[in-house]
Amino acid sequence: MARITAGIASSHVPAIGAAFDQGRTQEPYWKPVFDGFEWVKEFQRREDPDVVILCYNDHASAMMLDVVPTFALGCAEEFAPADEGWGARPVPMVMGDPVLAGHLAEQLVIDEFDMTLMNHLDVDHGLTVPLSLMFGKVEQWPVRVVPLAVNVTQFPTPSAERCWQLGAAIADAVQAYPAGLNVQIWGTGGMSHQLQGARAGFINQAADRAWLDGIAANPEPYRAMSREDYVEQFGSEGAELIMWLVMRAAMNEQVNLIHKHYHAPASMTGAGMVVLENAA
Ligand code: DHB
Ligand code: FE
């Protein structure tokens, strides 16, 4: 049987990808950000997962305003890094798992989540920057990836509670998958930031730190927050944090927070991450 063995969440900042690609990780500005991911790279070498269900958001890279899927599941054999305006990142092709994706599609639709199935999907910084942070510079990614893109760019976006329910349904679907896979679930986005409008530059470090402390042991308040609450506390783009709830809900009620890191600012964002394991 397939098993979800870890839940990981992190920010996904394009400038972190650029610093990584240009070999600037040891510069004073970036070093504290990248140092925070040394632990998880070692963790991944030990854990050696087979596949990551990677919940992120597209930033109008693959899905423009002509089609706005609320929940889009990547079912293709492979996913190319997207050109976000300055050429595709020089990172490996992302290999999919169409058999697991097909199973998830079936189970989630039976569970009344009306998924959009993506048989072609270029993946942007929301997916590739966390891969670089968790695995470093590699010739090939050491895992297969099933992308799950959540719409957080165009209202109406799904509620926090809906994301939570989706995560719980993913956990059920993985448990019903017969192959003996080591599966991780990731959520990327946030932390607090606002890239636009009167509050452009807004970062709420206190709210970020409270989130990192609460997401493992006490996620209920975040599940109950409205879209407006997210924008108010975390900024308009900080609302990307709802992807962390998909990850959290796919884990058991009781989890161990085995690693966390926070550094702000990183570009316009509080850069944070957590690694969770199910409690025995
Ligand atoms: C930034 C952060 C993001 O999550 C994003 O998608 C784009 C930009 C930033 O902080 O620059
Ligand atoms: Fe983003």
Side-chain angles (χ1 to χ4, degrees), residues 22-180:
Q22 295 165 15
R24 291 163 41 214
T25 60
Q26 297 309 300
E27 290 181 4
Y29 183 87
W30 290 112
K31 190 171 169 18
V33 176
F34 288 98
D35 281 354
F37 289 85
E38 286 305 314
W39 186 93
V40 75
K41 285 193 283 182
E42 187 53 43
F43 173 79
Q44 294 293 28
R45 278 190 282 273
R46 285 199 308 273
E47 291 286 306
D48 193 22
D50 298 304
V51 53
V52 174
I53 300 171
L54 205 162
C55 183
Y56 76 112
N57 69 283
D58 179 74
H59 303 75
S61 307
M63 295 169 248
M64 301 289 175
L65 294 183
D66 48 351
V67 183
V68 185
T70 302
F71 296 124
L73 190 68
C75 298
E77 296 274 355
E78 57 185 25
F79 307 94
D83 182 347
E84 300 181 54
W86 47 86
R89 289 191 62 216
V91 291
M93 196 76 163
V94 176
M95 304 313 292
D97 188 332
V99 181
L100 175 60
H103 169 83
L104 290 174
E106 183 176 318
Q107 295 297 307
L108 293 173
V109 172
I110 288 171
D111 243 346
E112 298 175 357
F113 288 89
D114 305 317
M115 309 301 288
T116 297
L117 307 187
M118 307 295 288
N119 294 315
H120 178 98
L121 174 64
D122 289 352
V123 288
D124 75 5
H125 69 270
L127 187 140
T128 65
V129 168
L131 281 177
S132 293
L133 289 170
M134 308 298 168
F135 295 117
K137 220 177 180 63
V138 290
E139 292 290 312
Q140 287 183 342
W141 300 119
V143 286
R144 302 190 295 280
V145 176
V146 176
L148 169 55
V150 175
N151 167 38
V152 293
T153 56
Q154 179 66 25
F155 278 82
T157 56
S159 66
E161 173 60 20
R162 189 66 176 152
C163 290
W164 184 276
Q165 290 168 7
L166 178 63
I170 289 171
D172 291 343
V174 170
Q175 237 172 38
Y177 192 63

Side-chain angles (χ1 to χ4, degrees), residues 12-14 57-59 125-126 152 188-190 193 195 237 240 243:
H12 62 214
V13 180
N57 69 283
D58 179 74
H59 303 75
H125 69 270
V152 293
T188 84
H193 63 300
L195 304 178
E237 281 71 37
E240 290 179 341
M243 271 83 72

Side-chain angles (χ1 to χ4, degrees), residues 17 20 23 33-34 37 51 73 76 107 120-121 128 143 190 194 215 225 227-228 230 242 244 252 257 260 270 279:
F20 181 91
V33 176
F34 288 98
F37 289 85
V51 53
L73 190 68
Q107 295 297 307
H120 178 98
L121 174 64
T128 65
V143 286
Q194 174 140 348
I215 193 69
M225 276 168 57
R227 296 170 181 81
E228 292 80 3
Y230 272 88
I242 59 174
W244 293 40
N252 290 354
L257 172 63
K260 73 173 172 178

